[in-house]
Amino acid sequence: MSELKAHEQYTNREVSWLAFNERVLDEARDKNNPLYERAKFVGITQSNMDEWFQVRVASLFQLRHVKDKTDIVGLTAHEQLKLVSELAGKQTKEQYQVLNRMILPALADDGLNLVCAAELTEPQRQELAPFFSTSVFPILTPMADDKTRPFPFLATDSLNLAARLERDGEERLAIVQVPDILDRVIAIPEFPGQYILLEELISAFIADLFIGFTVKSVSSFHILRDMELDIADDEGPNMLEEVQQKLFERERGAVIRLVHEKGMSKKVLNRLIDALDISTERVYAVNGPVDLSFLSSLVKFGQDKSAKFAPFEEYMDERLGDERIFKAISENDVLLHHPYDSFKPVVNLIQQAAKDENVLAIKMTLYRVSGNSPIIRALGEAARDGKQVTVLVEVKARFDEENNVHWAQELERQGVHVIYGLKGLKTHAKVALVVRREEDDIKRYVHLGTGNYNDVTAHFYTDMGLLTTDAEIGLDVASVFNVLTGYSDPDYFYHLYMSPDGIRDALIDRIKELRKAVKNGHQVKIRFKANSLSDTPVIDELIAASKDGVPVQLVIRGITMMKPGLVNVTENIEIHSLVGRLLEHSRIYIFELDGVREVFLSSADLMTRNLSHRIELMFPILSEELSERVVQVFDTIWNDNVKSRVLQSDDEWDRVNRRNTDSINAQEFFIAEAQAKVKAQKQAQKQVDNQPKFEPMNHPF
């Protein structure tokens, strides 16, 4: 059999990403999901694609003239740009088919009826007029486009109206930006169940902005700009100042996508294309609202509880909820599986460390935090109390740059020693270290995780974390912080692996060991779970392992650049993807030799950016009991036959065949498991509370 060509065993990264977004759209199509959640999934596909255009498509746009550089399947940037722009157009059409044929009619039946400007009745207009005149009209700024005034600057992710005007037989064009400080979904007073979008409301009354002119037509459009933040790798100005300057420049990046309402006049559209300097390949006409993010706001008006996912109570081990947390971690390592296990123990560790007089120092990395982070507050409290607090805030975290710059400056004001990331590298590792004096000794309390220190996303991202006082892991983590904050180049770590390069080397070394072992007749298996698989050296090593007969099970949520199931090439590799109510985010790496397993968790995905251009950590689960738990988690996800799709060698993702088998929904299984633990803990506490309490009687005399 002849050697397969590159395009026959690999898949283009961006094509694979679009396939992932299609799987998300499938959740909107799935009538087994509650209605409001299906609507939210449509909105998620919009936000996913927006980010993808602003970063990935923008990168291809920047490289489109480089002809001697090709991707893994041999396509130039220009060829990729043309291909994915076309595929994105097809997916956009599918989004609106789902919206118009399935979601909006079902929402209307449920009492959430969306009314456009042309459908407003006169009584409805009369009800809306006062709101428009007092709350909307004063904010609007009509911007003329003519020979005396340049085309107005339009911000990225902005929603706008193009008004075609006429007076004395002469046509004019004006742009009205839809203000994002107002709610986009508006309930029509006195008309229960009737709602209108802000841009439609403005369209209905837009003549008030152009006195003396006739409004011939109004069309909405949405633009995205190149939002990739490019920080120089060489020695330069202060990192914080450079990021702030780049944020300013980024707002004025090239327009990378234009979406407009169907029916926009050709003359207006051509003017927009010319003024925004965008190729027609990335201009899309849609049959409906041009920005689908409104759906999550619309369903908030819904009253049908059955149209939402049933809420569940996260399990909170009571020993980890107060000052007893230090004793609990000292006694045994703790594995947390969020959001089934509460994120509160992680927050509590930092809060208790801030209060505890025996704590000498706290060190953390912060990549993404919430807008009102309790961890930030605790770190500030610790610094004000005189503790040594050091925090690396990654100010280059994509789309969180402004939030992180704000918190970094706030922490500095409170006396925290802040490191603003490292030049040329993003720090993506999730690690916290608490140094505590105990009797005549020093003990290190460590948290290592696969997810961010974000108490909000921890409720709907699935992640895993380890709390430990293992002395060698503590020394490793201390060495990591010495690397991040000073000048240190440790010869080795006891247990941790650190990227750049260290994690890739560790993974490949172990894959090679299993390749050698299987040739010698040993039973081996590789099981990985990650968000993306696009690193060529890792992919090639997995292909080599498959050729040698090593069974490989991969759970990859998003990008997957390898084709499984190819005869004599990847026939021993299976790839699953699980898309459900929670966003799968944990990274698990398991190696098995004759029943003996090495189990690792990591902040790193199997992407070149993670393994070569970021500070990442991979850490072992040393406790046999906890490592077995991680394996059980992986196997449950692998056996999911409700939400999982299986990648075929032709790049198609097929649902698991459930014929004659019981249904297994991994996320619902973990939720039920958590509820059982919550119930058992409450019952145990109730028994304690109901125990008869004997009090000694005072002497009667």
Side-chain angles (χ1 to χ4, degrees), residues 66 92 167 227 239 250 278 310 352 373 402 412 426 455 468 485 498 517 537:
V66 180
T92 300
R167 186 167 73 177
M227 293 291 282
M239 175 74 76
R250 188 174 69 176
I278 184 171
Q352 293 300 327
S373 172
E402 290 182 79
E412 273 197 334
K426 283 186 181 180
D455 55 293
T468 183
T485 63
M498 183 175 179

Side-chain angles (χ1 to χ4, degrees), residues 438-545:
E438 296 185 4
E439 297 177 350
D440 295 328
D441 199 4
I442 294 293
K443 181 170 282 190
R444 294 179 176 91
Y445 291 80
V446 171
H447 174 262
L448 289 155
T450 68
N452 301 304
Y453 288 110
N454 188 314
D455 55 293
V456 175
T457 59
H459 293 300
F460 52 90
Y461 281 28
T462 74
D463 274 301
M464 305 190 85
L466 176 71
L467 295 167
T468 183
T469 57
D470 181 90
E472 291 181 337
I473 288 181
L475 287 170
D476 283 352
V477 169
S479 295
V480 168
F481 278 106
N482 289 340
V483 171
L484 296 177
T485 63
Y487 298 105
S488 180
D489 187 13
D491 292 330
Y492 70 96
F493 291 115
Y494 290 101
H495 297 293
L496 300 190
Y497 294 92
M498 183 175 179
S499 282
D501 301 326
I503 295 175
R504 179 193 288 113
D505 291 346
L507 293 174
I508 288 178
D509 286 347
R510 281 165 174 76
I511 296 171
K512 287 180 175 178
E513 289 175 8
L514 295 190
R515 289 176 57 194
K516 185 183 296 184
V518 78
K519 291 176 181 177
N520 291 326
H522 295 280
Q523 295 295 312
V524 302
K525 184 184 286 188
I526 293 171
R527 283 174 273 189
F528 289 173
K529 179 179 182 291
N531 296 324
S532 299
L533 171 63
S534 61
D535 183 69
T536 304
V538 171
I539 290 174
D540 289 345
E541 194 60 39
L542 289 171
I543 291 174

Side-chain angles (χ1 to χ4, degrees), residues 78-368:
H78 176 75
E79 290 169 333
Q80 292 182 71
L81 189 62
K82 185 174 181 179
L83 172 62
V84 300
S85 295
E86 180 182 345
L87 292 176
K90 291 179 180 178
Q91 190 169 103
T92 300
K93 287 182 180 178
E94 291 176 2
Q95 285 176 315
Y96 281 84
Q97 287 175 353
V98 173
L99 176 74
N100 293 319
R101 296 178 184 178
M102 304 177 75
I103 302 302
L104 289 182
L107 289 175
D109 291 341
D110 196 65
L112 297 173
N113 192 58
L114 203 61
V115 180
C116 67
E119 296 170 338
L120 284 174
T121 64
E122 188 56 34
Q124 288 174 331
R125 286 181 64 90
Q126 291 176 7
E127 289 294 338
L128 287 167
F131 173 75
F132 176 80
S133 63
T134 59
S135 300
V136 181
F137 181 81
I139 303 174
L140 301 177
T141 303
M143 297 174 286
D145 173 42
D146 56 31
K147 294 178 181 178
T148 64
R149 287 163 285 198
F151 190 84
F153 172 77
L154 303 176
T156 189
D157 200 21
S158 64
L159 183 58
N160 306 275
L161 295 173
R164 187 164 59 95
L165 312 171
E166 184 182 64
R167 186 167 73 177
D168 300 330
E170 183 179 353
E171 281 200 3
R172 305 285 179 87
L173 175 66
I175 306 297
V176 180
Q177 190 155 327
V178 179
D180 57 10
I181 59 172
L182 297 176
D183 292 336
R184 189 163 169 217
V185 180
I186 300 161
I188 302 177
E190 304 302 324
F191 288 86
Q194 304 290 301
Y195 303 88
I196 188 169
L197 296 181
L198 180 57
E199 65 267 28
E200 291 293 327
L201 175 65
I202 297 171
S203 296
F205 295 95
I206 200 166
D208 294 359
L209 292 169
F210 303 106
I211 306 300
F213 286 81
T214 301
V215 178
K216 303 294 289 184
S217 67
V218 184
S219 302
S220 57
F221 66 96
H222 180 254
I223 70 164
L224 293 175
R225 293 182 180 273
D226 180 347
M227 293 291 282
E228 184 70 316
L229 190 70
D230 184 20
I231 303 296
D233 289 348
D234 56 349
E235 293 299 322
N238 176 276
M239 175 74 76
L240 186 61
E241 292 178 359
E242 188 173 352
V243 169
Q244 290 173 313
Q245 175 62 29
K246 288 293 183 180
L247 287 172
F248 175 79
E249 294 173 6
R250 188 174 69 176
E251 288 299 320
R252 285 149 180 79
V255 174
I256 204 70
R257 186 182 72 178
L258 167 63
V259 178
H260 67 90
E261 189 180 355
K262 269 188 178 176
M264 177 179 280
S265 77
K266 288 185 178 180
K267 187 175 181 180
V268 171
L269 179 58
N270 289 336
R271 174 57 185 151
L272 292 178
I273 290 172
D274 180 62
L276 298 172
D277 190 24
I278 184 171
S279 166
T280 55
E281 289 180 347
R282 297 187 305 284
V283 176
Y284 305 101
V286 296
N287 184 24
V290 297
D291 178 359
L292 299 177
S293 62
F294 74 90
L295 286 163
S296 61
S297 299
L298 178 61
V299 299
K300 288 179 181 178
F301 289 97
Q303 301 298 314
D304 185 359
K305 292 184 178 179
S306 67
K308 304 176 184 178
F309 286 129
F312 66 94
E313 185 175 351
E314 299 169 358
Y315 174 66
M316 175 68 194
D317 186 333
E318 59 186 12
R319 299 171 307 141
L320 304 175
D322 51 32
E323 67 277 359
R324 292 179 295 169
I325 189 169
F326 293 115
K327 183 175 185 296
I329 301 172
S330 292
E331 290 174 348
N332 291 293
D333 286 359
V334 177
L335 180 72
L336 298 171
H337 186 198
H338 311 302
Y340 318 106
D341 293 326
S342 173
F343 189 70
K344 289 179 181 177
V346 181
V347 175
N348 187 49
L349 174 64
I350 307 303
Q351 290 175 330
Q352 293 300 327
K355 299 174 185 176
D356 192 316
E357 62 183 15
N358 292 316
V359 168
L360 306 175
I362 305 172
K363 302 181 182 184
M364 285 191 77
T365 60
L366 295 179
Y367 190 75
R368 299 188 198 275

Side-chain angles (χ1 to χ4, degrees), residues 14 45 47 133 176 247 280 337 370 541 550 577 647 651 680 690:
E14 312 314 330
T45 65
S47 59
S133 63
V176 180
L247 287 172
T280 55
H337 186 198
S370 64
E541 194 60 39
V550 178
S577 174
L647 181 59
D651 289 335
N690 290 337

